Amino acid sequence: MLLRRLLALYAGLWLYGFSMAVMLRAAMGLDPWDVFHQGIADNVSLSFGTIVAIVGAAVLLAWIPLRQWPGLGTISNVVVIGVSVDVSLRMLPHLEGLPLRSGAMLAAVVLNAIASVLYIGAGLGPGPRDGLMTGLVRRTGRPVWAVRTTIEVTVLSIGWLLGGSLGIGTLVYAFGIGPLIHVLIPLVDGILPGFKDVHGKPVPTEQDRSAEPLAV
C-alpha cells in the first residue's frame, strides 16, 4: 500500500508541474498562485520552476508559527513540482492559434485536477500552500472559503501587479478545478483504494455505505 501511495504522490507531483507548463504555453491566463510565480519570474533572472520552489519553501516557513508539521509529500512538493515545470517547459513548444491554445488550457486544468487528486490523495502531507490555508483556518477559526479566497486574491493581485498573466484560463481554473476534483476522487479511489479526499476524510467505500443506517 505504501508503494502505491508513493507512486501516486510522485506521479501526481510530476503531472502537476507538467500541467502548469501546459497552462503557461497556452498563454490564456494562469491560476492565482502561478500568476504570482510568473510575476516574480518576470522580474528576476530565475526560471519559473525555481521561483515555484523558492515560494514553496518560503510558504513552508510560514507553517512554523501555525505549528504545522510537513510530511514527505510536503517536502517533495517543493522540489518535484519546480523541477517538473522547468523540464516540461523545455520540452513543450510555444503554441500558436486560439483553438490550439484553448484546447491546451482546458487540458491543463483537467490534468491539474488529476494530479491534485493523486498527490493529495496519497495522504503523505499537503503541499505548502494547502497547508498554509488549513493552518490559518485552524488558528483563526475562519471558514475555509474565506481563508482560501483571501490568500488567492492576495497572491493574484500581487502577481498581476508584477506582470503575471490573467485571462480566461484564470476563470476556467477557478470555477472548474473544484468540481473536477470532486468527480475524480471516487474514480481514483476505485483504482488505488484507501485514498483520502481533499479534506483529509476517507472516501467511503461501497462496504462503508452498506453499513450506514438507512434514513428514516
Side-chain angles (χ1 to χ4, degrees):
M1 183 60 190
L2 177 59
L3 178 58
R4 288 186 179 185
R5 292 168 66 194
L6 288 171
L7 288 173
L9 170 67
Y10 289 109
L13 291 175
W14 192 268
L15 182 60
Y16 198 99
F18 178 77
S19 72
M20 291 166 65
V22 174
M23 198 78 165
L24 283 162
R25 287 291 184 248
M28 297 188 70
L30 304 172
D31 71 87
W33 275 104
D34 282 348
V35 172
F36 181 67
H37 297 144
Q38 188 182 53
I40 296 175
D42 286 349
N43 289 276
V44 298
S45 56
L46 294 172
S47 69
F48 187 89
T50 301
I51 296 299
V52 171
I54 291 173
V55 170
V59 171
L60 196 54
L61 292 176
W63 283 31
I64 297 173
L66 297 175
R67 297 180 182 177
Q68 291 272 99
W69 292 98
L72 174 63
T74 310
I75 306 302
S76 299
N77 183 294
V78 174
V79 177
V80 176
I81 291 179
V83 173
S84 173
V85 68
D86 274 352
V87 170
S88 299
L89 283 171
R90 286 195 290 269
M91 293 171 54
L92 293 170
H94 290 276
L95 303 178
E96 301 292 340
L98 185 59
L100 183 58
R101 290 167 54 215
S102 298
M105 179 267 291
L106 293 173
V109 175
V110 173
L111 290 174
N112 191 278
I114 295 171
S116 297
V117 171
L118 285 172
Y119 91 78
I120 296 174
L124 293 170
R129 298 155 188 81
D130 295 325
L132 175 65
M133 178 191 69
T134 56
L136 287 171
V137 168
R138 190 180 68 251
R139 297 287 287 180
T140 65
R142 304 296 298 171
V144 172
W145 69 265
V147 173
R148 178 165 183 165
T149 299
T150 300
I151 292 172
E152 294 197 346
V153 167
T154 300
V155 297
L156 179 69
S157 300
I158 295 172
W160 178 71
L161 290 172
L162 291 172
S165 176
L166 286 176
I168 187 65
T170 308
L171 293 176
V172 171
Y173 186 94
F175 289 101
I177 194 68
L180 280 170
I181 289 175
H182 180 77
V183 169
L184 289 167
I185 285 171
L187 299 178
V188 175
D189 188 68
I191 300 170
L192 296 165
F195 269 24
K196 297 177 180 179
D197 67 11
V198 291
H199 302 294
K201 300 176 182 177
V203 178
T205 63
E206 290 302 321
Q207 184 177 0
D208 295 329
R209 295 189 184 99
S210 66
E212 294 175 353
L214 295 176
V216 293

